[in-house]
Amino acid sequence: AWQVVFDQAIPEKLTVDDQGQQTNNGIRIQKVLVHDEIRQSKIPLLVLSKADTTPKATVIWTTDSGKAALFDKNGNLDTKLQQLINLSVFVVLPDLLDQGELQTADAATTKSMQRTVDDKRAYSAFTFGYNRTLAAERCADLLATVAFAQTLEIESVNLLSTDGSSTWAAPAAAIAGPAIARAAIDTN
């Protein structure tokens, strides 16, 4: 049912562009740009792991404001993020539509969950009839992130949703089915 409502599945055609990596305080930080070819969207990701180990699991961590929410003003890791990396897992941090690197000027000034069409005629179909909701687009971006995580050759892909990201994380987890081993979704 979720797949029908959100009109989305885990994408089968992805292109991954490695944007480089660095090691900082024993943590490998890799920048990746995932292209969902069917939707013609690009999702910037950070993949973090301990530099001296080979992770056996992946945790995709979503937040309401993207990957930057897990770093302080000086670029230091959030303590919970550091603890997760210390467990020797890949931590994948995405910027979904209108988050972080993908944030538009509109999104920066408003926290609306629905984008609107700027039209003189006050008719809701111009907004709701033709455009997928922001939650649906972020769900689709998250499913592309799951597809990417499956390419990391690990035992399991897990989902952690915090800070108001449950609106798109819960449907994505349901649609992904067995592709996600475990999901922890904070609904506030």
Side-chain angles (χ1 to χ4, degrees), residues 9 13 17 48 51 53 60 63 65 74 91 95-96 98 106 130 146 160 165 167 170:
K13 291 185 177 184
D17 290 335
L48 292 83
T53 62
I60 300 169
T63 67
S65 55
N74 299 324
V91 179
D95 271 341
L96 307 177
D98 279 348
D106 252 1
Y130 298 104
V146 170
L160 176 59
S165 63
T167 306

Side-chain angles (χ1 to χ4, degrees), residues 38-166:
I38 300 293
R39 293 177 43 243
Q40 298 180 351
S41 65
K42 297 177 183 178
I43 303 107
L45 310 172
L46 287 181
V47 181
L48 292 83
S49 63
K50 286 178 80 172
D52 57 352
T53 62
T54 303
K56 292 191 177 3
T58 297
V59 175
I60 300 169
W61 192 340
T62 65
T63 67
D64 186 38
S65 55
K67 60 186 182 244
L70 298 167
F71 297 87
D72 67 15
K73 294 176 187 173
N74 299 324
N76 298 318
L77 301 178
D78 178 274
T79 56
K80 293 175 185 165
L81 178 57
Q82 181 68 54
Q83 290 172 348
L84 199 52
I85 293 169
N86 289 342
L87 294 174
S88 295
V89 298
F90 284 117
V91 179
V92 178
L93 306 174
D95 271 341
L96 307 177
L97 183 64
D98 279 348
Q99 293 181 332
E101 293 179 47
L102 300 176
Q103 192 170 39
T104 62
D106 252 1
T109 59
T110 180
K111 292 290 269 182
S112 172
M113 282 301 293
Q114 174 59 43
R115 294 165 293 153
T116 58
V117 174
D118 186 21
D119 196 295
K120 296 175 193 172
R121 299 166 289 181
Y123 181 53
S124 63
F126 292 127
T127 294
F128 299 106
Y130 298 104
N131 300 301
R132 291 167 48 96
T133 64
L134 181 59
E137 290 293 343
R138 286 184 179 174
C139 175
D141 285 353
L142 187 51
L143 289 168
T145 304
V146 170
F148 163 76
Q150 291 177 316
T151 68
L152 295 175
E153 298 180 15
I154 38 77
E155 292 176 9
S156 66
V157 175
N158 304 283
L159 176 63
L160 176 59
S161 165
T162 61
D163 303 323
S165 63
S166 63

Side-chain angles (χ1 to χ4, degrees), residues 26-44:
I27 297 173
R28 183 180 318 120
I29 302 171
Q30 180 180 7
K31 290 183 178 184
V32 176
L33 187 62
V34 173
H35 302 265
D36 181 345
E37 295 180 20
I38 300 293
R39 293 177 43 243
Q40 298 180 351
S41 65
K42 297 177 183 178
I43 303 107

Side-chain angles (χ1 to χ4, degrees), residues 167-186:
T167 306
W168 51 89
I175 293 167
I180 294 179
R182 281 179 241 121
I185 300 173
D186 179 5

